[in-house]
Amino acid sequence: MNPKIALVVGLISISIFPVLVKWAPVSGITSAFYRMFFGFILILPYVFLTKKFTWPARSLWLPTILCGIIFASDIAVWNLSITLSSVTQATLLANLSPVWVGICSFFFLSDKPKSAFWAGTIVALAGTVVLIGFEHFTEMKLDAGFSLAMLSGILYAAYMLLSKLVLNKVDIVSFMTINMAASTIYLLAICLFFDQPLLGFTPSVWSVFVVQGLICQLIGWLALNYAVQKMDAKRVSLSLLSQAIVSGLFAWIFIDEQITLQMIAGGVIILAGIAITYQTKKQSPSAEKTNDGGY
């Protein structure tokens, strides 16, 4: 599959998550647990039938498990930040993840961000502010909700960078299986520690949990991890800013949330910023000759 198509499939799949959360008004941590749990349960038949699961090298066990813990922590922290502040503030601050990815890449990786990445990031983040509303940006308070939302963005960036390194050496199905197993156990421990409800839900809520696990987690992150494996993690991270646009469209279609001209303008600016990062300089003829046969 073309990695850009995989990126689009993954983006659409995870963008339905906020709408599903509104359909199942339960604890955010509980919702995160069942998203990971059903994603893990649903991948097992494929793993057993195809026998494609292979244990990674022992040196990769810890990084792979750590990816699952970081991802689960990001979901839990983001949901908790919403309860302590607002969806708007949590979304805006969590969307700073491309900045953290770029900064970490600059200091710790050989593949340094190019000027197009920084220009596109600035434009896309400006579009996010327009989409959400500048008044929300100016009304932010430096409280626990603010701190947790910032932490969510940092955790997301850490996951993108670490998973990129692991996926260079581990196949996606094996990575996802271990990743979701670690996330499920970790989130179950958090639910038990904070005494979050785990049973007694209506059939409709259970069906939402299953859809979250199948679409938002399994299909969505199989596709996104494939994109991370094949593409630049910085571009993938920045491209995910368009999740706000797709989520808005789903909310408009399924739960009748209003779409304003301001949201449309913000969405256009976000897409323009993402497009900037995909611009590459044309090579000279001599460089193209040098590169021929280099694959």
Side-chain angles (χ1 to χ4, degrees), residues 19 38 40 54 71 88-89 91 120 122 145-146 150 178 180 189 202 218 235 258 272 279 287:
V19 175
F38 282 113
F40 174 66
T54 55
F71 186 78
T88 298
Q89 176 170 299
T91 301
I122 292 171
F146 180 96
M150 288 286 287
I178 298 172
M180 288 191 293
T202 64
L218 187 56
R235 282 183 172 178
Q258 184 180 8
Q279 300 303 309

Side-chain angles (χ1 to χ4, degrees), residues 13-198:
S13 298
I14 67 173
S15 294
I16 193 69
F17 184 63
V19 175
L20 293 174
V21 169
K22 287 209 170 190
W23 276 347
V26 299
S27 162
I29 300 177
T30 300
S31 178
F33 164 70
Y34 278 115
R35 167 179 166 174
M36 302 305 299
F37 172 76
F38 282 113
F40 174 66
I41 293 298
L42 291 168
I43 201 175
L44 289 181
Y46 177 82
V47 170
F48 287 127
L49 290 174
T50 62
K51 298 181 180 180
K52 288 189 174 181
F53 179 85
T54 55
W55 283 105
R58 184 167 297 181
S59 61
L60 294 171
W61 288 4
L62 181 59
T64 304
I65 293 172
L66 189 58
C67 280
I69 293 174
I70 291 173
F71 186 78
S73 298
D74 172 41
I75 296 174
V77 166
W78 187 74
N79 285 333
L80 189 57
S81 70
I82 293 174
T83 64
L84 295 176
S85 56
S86 66
V87 174
T88 298
Q89 176 170 299
T91 301
L92 181 59
L93 294 175
N95 277 347
L96 291 175
S97 58
V99 177
W100 306 125
V101 170
I103 291 173
C104 290
S105 299
F106 180 81
F107 284 107
F108 302 113
L109 300 181
S110 57
D111 183 18
K112 308 297 183 186
K114 304 298 189 293
S115 57
F117 170 79
W118 294 116
T121 299
I122 292 171
V123 172
L125 290 176
T128 303
V129 173
V130 173
L131 184 147
I132 292 175
F134 188 76
E135 66 279 3
H136 294 290
F137 182 75
T138 58
E139 292 172 0
M140 285 186 180
K141 298 179 180 179
L142 300 178
D143 53 13
F146 180 96
S147 301
L148 288 171
M150 288 286 287
L151 178 59
S152 174
I154 294 171
L155 287 169
Y156 198 59
Y159 174 79
M160 296 297 292
L161 290 171
L162 183 58
S163 63
K164 173 66 175 178
L165 297 175
V166 175
L167 285 166
N168 287 336
K169 303 175 182 178
V170 180
D171 70 275
I172 294 174
V173 172
S174 301
F175 171 81
M176 285 285 292
T177 304
I178 298 172
N179 184 308
M180 288 191 293
S183 295
T184 299
I185 295 170
Y186 176 73
L187 286 169
L188 176 60
I190 292 178
C191 286
L192 294 174
F193 181 81
F194 288 104
D195 196 25
Q196 299 297 301
L198 292 172

